[in-house]
Amino acid sequence: MKDLFKKIPSVDSVLLNEKIKKLLPEFGLSSVKNAIREAVERVRFEIKEGKIKSEIEKRVYELIPSILSKNLSPSLKRVINGTGIIIHTNLGRAVISEKVMDYVSNIATAYNNLEYDLEKGKRGHRDIHAERLLSEFFGVESATVVNNNAAAVMLIINTFAEGKEVVVSRGELIEIGGSFRIPEIMKKAGAKLVEVGTTNKTHLRDYEEAINENTGLVLKVHPSNYRITGFTESVPAEEIAKLCKEKGVVFAEDMGSGNIYDLTSLKIYDEPTVSQSVKAGIDLISFSGDKLLGCVQAGIIIGKRKFIEKIRKNHLLRALRVDKITYSAIEKHMQLLLTEKFDQIPVYKMIFKSPEEIKRELENFIEDFSDAKEKLKIVPVKSKIGGGTTPERELDSFALAFDLEKSAVEIENYFRSREIPVIGRIKDDVFFIDFRTILKKDISVLKDYVGKLLSP
Ligand SMILES: *Cc1c(COP(=O)(O)O)cnc(C)c1O
């Protein structure tokens, strides 16, 4: 075994090898050196374990490229979403419009007026960006943007209720996926939570009794992922707004997801829209830039100017602020919405895609697999909007399923281990790929993978 160890080449000698030298322009000296060291270590281990007994040097060289690509490849990569869940929390939430990203790229790869007032020719405030377009779209006086909705909620609580009480209906005290817990956020924001009502019933008088001189804020929370059904009662926002006005207390809503549009055309009736909340007279409304707008991760606060101004004076904002990338993405996205370019916004396109259209796409897809066609099935499935929106509401859709001598789990593994992983769903022991969430650019990749699955 000693002789084998002696055959391991030195890092320096490997570096002089012509093939290895060719790797330098692409990977850089230090990465290549690290990869050689790792390869040498691994070969030493393999000898010790008795796994290799000859061709020691060859083994070192053979390991280097794969170590390099493993060490240098990003962990965040593109996947193909075949789950039919449009705003998939685990798969990056919203797919952002290419129009938006083109615009972002133009702004972010150059200098810009992020904190420069072009009229006055001196230092300006970043916080004004996106305000005009958001206000215009939502019909409010003012708006501001922070890192995400959790940050927005924390900032609102901290601004109006630090050292004070926040009144929340017990039925709305929920835990949202990814550990967003209102009671915890409340504590971190320095406020005391006052729960009113019971899990299924809260009356206006419960709010009335809870509000006192220590109340800093009344908070309404959109129960995203869950819904208490049956014998429930909550107080209409208009009534709480009126009460808060009388008592001189700020009334805010954590909307999280919710909707911009009325989805009744899709037979989704009970999802609140932002405009309903604005009309109800809520002072401040916060929501996610990705879940609700279908844009980048961000927390958006809209509402009355005097309250937004107060938020702007909170030093916590400095820690939660966003970058030019977020501002420019939201501004361009709002411009698309204001000019009704819905077909440029992937999330809306997917929500409003008809089952017939999806079926047609699948038929076209299958057309290419001439003789293997009978192994591919088009099956009716249900898609979801996701992202905490409309928890039980489903959209009719169609999916690709496979008639093969393989189990659903085997097929799932095959797709998940591709270079661009394809994530589908298994239901009743059948693996399927819902085409509602398949993007145009996914099609050719998917065709390639399906082809290889059918005739390996
Ligand atoms: C999603 C959600 C949050 C958290 O929003 P992030 O943007 O993920 O920080 C908070 N409240 C509600 C009601 C939500 O749905």
Side-chain angles (χ1 to χ4, degrees):
M1 204 190 273
K2 253 197 187 134
D3 291 344
L4 289 180
F5 283 126
K6 274 187 197 147
K7 291 209 171 105
I8 300 176
S10 74
V11 173
D12 287 337
S13 71
V14 176
L15 259 180
L16 292 174
N17 176 284
E18 283 309 314
K19 263 197 194 144
I20 299 298
K21 273 190 191 160
K22 284 204 183 102
L23 296 172
L24 292 176
E26 188 182 346
F27 297 102
L29 179 62
S30 74
S31 297
V32 173
K33 259 191 185 165
N34 285 340
I36 298 171
R37 279 193 205 106
E38 204 175 318
V40 163
E41 263 329 291
R42 220 187 283 175
V43 168
R44 203 185 300 279
F45 180 78
E46 286 176 1
I47 295 172
K48 213 164 93 189
E49 297 281 296
K51 283 191 182 136
I52 47 166
K53 298 197 162 58
S54 60
E55 299 190 290
I56 303 299
E57 198 165 349
K58 189 173 155 221
R59 178 71 183 144
V60 171
Y61 283 103
E62 164 184 296
L63 282 170
I64 293 168
S66 66
I67 291 175
L68 265 175
S69 74
K70 178 185 69 79
N71 287 356
L72 295 173
S73 67
S75 62
L76 183 60
K77 39 180 170 174
R78 172 181 162 195
V79 306
I80 292 176
N81 176 8
T83 66
I85 300 167
I86 297 167
I87 303 171
H88 198 302
T89 313
N90 306 133
L91 303 181
R93 290 192 176 175
V95 172
I96 300 167
S97 162
E98 286 187 15
K99 269 265 166 8
V100 167
M101 288 320 289
D102 286 348
Y103 182 76
V104 170
S105 164
N106 190 32
I107 295 286
T109 59
Y111 292 101
N112 50 68
N113 64 335
L114 182 65
E115 289 187 3
Y116 187 77
D117 186 327
L118 287 169
E119 266 171 40
K120 295 185 183 142
K122 57 179 195 184
R123 186 175 193 278
H125 294 282
R126 72 168 65 200
D127 204 50
I128 58 117
H129 299 297
E131 178 177 33
R132 188 165 37 83
L133 293 171
L134 282 166
S135 302
E136 171 87 17
F137 184 79
F138 289 109
V140 291
E141 292 171 12
S142 184
T144 189
V145 181
V146 292
N147 183 55
N148 57 9
N149 186 47
V153 175
M154 184 156 178
L155 188 59
I156 291 173
I157 296 171
N158 182 265
T159 305
F160 299 99
E162 192 176 17
K164 292 185 171 177
E165 295 176 354
V166 180
V167 176
V168 186
S169 161
R170 187 163 279 130
E172 295 171 358
L173 280 176
I174 34 116
E175 186 180 316
I176 297 155
S179 72
F180 178 82
R181 296 189 188 88
I182 287 285
E184 298 304 318
I185 296 278
M186 202 78 79
K187 234 184 264 169
K188 292 283 177 201
K192 185 169 170 252
L193 172 66
V194 175
E195 299 174 37
V196 296
T198 59
T199 350
N200 62 343
K201 272 190 171 186
T202 304
H203 303 285
L204 189 63
R205 62 167 188 277
D206 295 325
Y207 284 100
E208 218 164 343
E209 284 162 16
I211 295 174
N212 59 43
E213 67 280 6
N214 285 329
T215 309
L217 186 73
V218 172
L219 183 68
K220 184 175 168 55
V221 185
H222 177 213
S224 303
N225 292 330
Y226 93 141
R227 196 142 294 188
I228 298 171
T229 45
F231 196 52
T232 64
E233 207 168 317
S234 60
V235 188
E238 290 83 357
E239 290 181 26
I240 308 174
K242 204 165 142 248
L243 175 70
C244 288
K245 210 166 179 188
E246 277 166 27
K247 303 255 183 187
V249 176
V250 180
F251 181 28
E253 178 176 18
D254 167 17
M255 249 192 125
S257 48
N259 276 305
I260 300 184
Y261 297 106
D262 191 351
L263 297 180
T264 45
S265 69
L266 300 173
K267 302 192 178 67
I268 293 169
Y269 301 107
D270 54 356
E271 192 60 27
T273 65
V274 179
S275 72
Q276 281 165 5
S277 290
V278 171
K279 276 199 203 104
I282 300 176
D283 298 318
L284 293 166
I285 302 159
S286 81
F287 50 83
S288 288
D290 44 16
K291 284 196 294 189
L292 187 130
L293 288 181
C295 188
V296 285
Q297 174 190 305
I300 292 164
I301 307 173
I302 60 169
K304 307 214 169 110
R305 178 168 300 280
K306 60 176 175 183
F307 299 126
I308 299 272
E309 288 302 336
K310 193 149 183 229
I311 288 172
R312 289 204 169 116
K313 293 202 178 85
N314 187 339
H315 287 288
L316 190 57
L317 181 63
R318 180 64 179 78
L320 307 173
R321 72 183 194 181
V322 297
D323 182 27
K324 55 187 173 283
I325 293 185
T326 304
Y327 281 125
S328 53
I330 289 177
E331 288 207 295
K332 187 66 194 178
H333 188 90
M334 295 321 293
Q335 193 192 61
L336 292 179
L337 283 174
L338 281 162
T339 54
E340 296 169 12
K341 304 286 187 302
F342 306 118
D343 59 332
Q344 308 274 6
I345 301 175
V347 169
Y348 293 115
K349 249 173 85 175
M350 288 187 246
I351 292 177
F352 289 103
K353 208 185 222 181
S354 72
E356 295 75 36
E357 208 179 327
I358 297 168
K359 193 171 184 195
R360 244 190 337 267
E361 279 177 16
L362 261 161
E363 282 161 357
N364 285 340
F365 184 90
I366 286 180
E367 221 25 65
D368 277 12
F369 296 92
S370 43
D371 35 340
K373 237 190 272 180
E374 73 280 2
K375 293 178 188 162
L376 301 174
K377 302 274 172 259
I378 297 176
V379 295
V381 293
K382 303 278 187 192
S383 319
K384 287 184 180 208
I385 296 179
T389 316
T390 59
E392 280 124 40
R393 307 298 170 264
E394 293 176 322
L395 305 169
D396 286 322
S397 184
F398 286 95
L400 181 66
F402 304 88
D403 194 359
L404 298 168
E405 300 290 308
K406 284 187 170 71
S407 74
V409 173
E410 277 175 302
I411 302 174
E412 182 188 46
N413 286 338
Y414 166 79
F415 279 107
R416 204 181 49 240
S417 57
R418 293 310 89 197
E419 191 185 341
I420 298 174
V422 182
I423 314 295
R425 261 161 65 194
I426 294 179
K427 195 169 178 245
D428 301 328
D429 259 343
V430 177
F431 173 84
F432 63 84
I433 296 170
D434 185 338
F435 263 50
R436 185 179 290 279
T437 43
I438 297 302
L439 309 173
K440 225 185 213 141
K441 65 177 172 190
D442 294 338
I443 296 283
S444 60
V445 181
L446 203 53
K447 266 188 190 156
D448 180 41
Y449 295 162
V450 169
K452 284 179 182 140
L453 175 72
L454 297 183
S455 47

